Amino acid sequence: LLQEAQGVPFSRGIPQFRKMKTVVAVTLSWVWCASAVRVNQTPMTYVVGLLQDLGQRVEMDGRKEQKEYDKYACWCEQTLSRKAKDIEEAKEEITATQTLIQKLKGDLGALGASIEGLKGEIAQNLDSQKEAEELRDKEFGEYNDEKLETEQCIGGLEAAIKVLTGAGTGKKGFLEVFQEAQVLSVVAGLREGF
């Protein structure tokens, strides 16, 4: 009737109903076959099987997690060991560096005093050099004066020797020789000036 109300004749709806019945029957038979496999299985054995399966999975997960934990623990131990060694080395280096700093500070103080002493010695040395240079310049001036005087004396003596060697022979007069000696001494003085 429902089909007739919808415009489908009743006679045509029966084959569709039969098809549906067949599909339902086939589906039920599959379900019955699947349950037939578990026919010997009671709900209790099914739960026990699930628990055993769960237990195996938990054990496998536990072994996997234990392996990962062991790997991580090994890494932690190695890292901690390495870091502890690095810390000890750093502490030793800090101690050595502090000792070196103290030694260098002591050396710096000693060298600072030595530098001050050397600065005083340098100042004394410069004063001594200045005094020595002034003395050398003074002595050089005195030497030049003595040299000039000596050369003039030598020139005068040479002229006197010439006069005396010619004395009595009647050659030149005494005044001419004296003038010649003065000229020679002036020439010697000019020679020294250049």
Side-chain angles (χ1 to χ4, degrees):
L1 292 176
L2 185 61
Q3 288 177 354
E4 283 181 9
Q6 293 175 352
V8 177
F10 183 70
S11 60
R12 282 175 133 193
I14 293 179
Q16 289 177 354
F17 180 69
R18 285 186 190 162
K19 284 183 188 177
M20 214 188 225
K21 231 175 159 181
T22 309
V23 170
V24 169
V26 170
T27 306
L28 285 175
S29 67
W30 283 347
V31 171
W32 183 76
C33 287
S35 64
V37 170
R38 296 185 181 186
V39 167
N40 294 337
Q41 196 173 29
T42 63
M44 185 64 98
T45 56
Y46 179 72
V47 169
V48 169
L50 286 176
L51 289 175
Q52 287 175 344
D53 198 28
L54 180 65
Q56 289 174 353
R57 280 192 228 151
V58 167
E59 285 179 16
M60 285 176 37
D61 288 345
R63 282 191 292 267
K64 183 180 174 185
E65 287 179 9
Q66 183 65 40
K67 199 183 277 186
E68 290 175 8
Y69 174 79
D70 291 343
K71 183 179 174 183
Y72 177 72
C74 181
W75 176 83
C76 287
E77 288 175 13
Q78 290 174 351
T79 302
L80 285 175
S81 172
R82 189 178 68 243
K83 294 300 177 186
K85 181 181 173 189
D86 290 346
I87 289 170
E88 286 300 317
E89 288 175 359
K91 285 180 180 178
E92 291 172 5
E93 187 173 340
I94 288 170
T95 303
T97 304
Q98 286 175 338
T99 304
L100 179 63
I101 288 170
Q102 293 300 322
K103 179 185 177 285
L104 292 176
K105 281 183 178 178
D107 290 348
L108 184 63
L111 292 174
S114 177
I115 288 172
E116 291 303 317
L118 290 175
K119 283 182 180 179
E121 288 179 19
I122 289 172
Q124 289 175 349
N125 190 355
L126 290 174
D127 289 342
S128 297
Q129 285 178 358
K130 186 176 179 182
E131 288 174 10
E133 190 175 323
E134 289 173 358
L135 181 62
R136 188 173 50 243
D137 289 344
K138 179 181 172 189
E139 288 176 352
F140 181 70
E142 290 173 0
Y143 168 77
N144 279 337
D145 291 343
E146 285 181 24
K147 180 180 171 188
L148 181 62
E149 186 180 331
T150 304
E151 287 177 352
Q152 287 176 352
C153 288
I154 290 173
L157 288 174
E158 286 176 353
I161 290 173
K162 283 183 185 178
V163 169
L164 291 176
T165 45
T169 57
K171 291 188 174 175
K172 288 184 186 176
F174 177 72
L175 288 177
E176 291 174 2
V177 173
F178 181 70
Q179 287 176 349
E180 190 178 316
Q182 283 181 338
V183 169
L184 286 175
S185 71
V186 169
V187 169
L190 289 175
R191 201 178 339 153
E192 288 299 319
F194 292 111

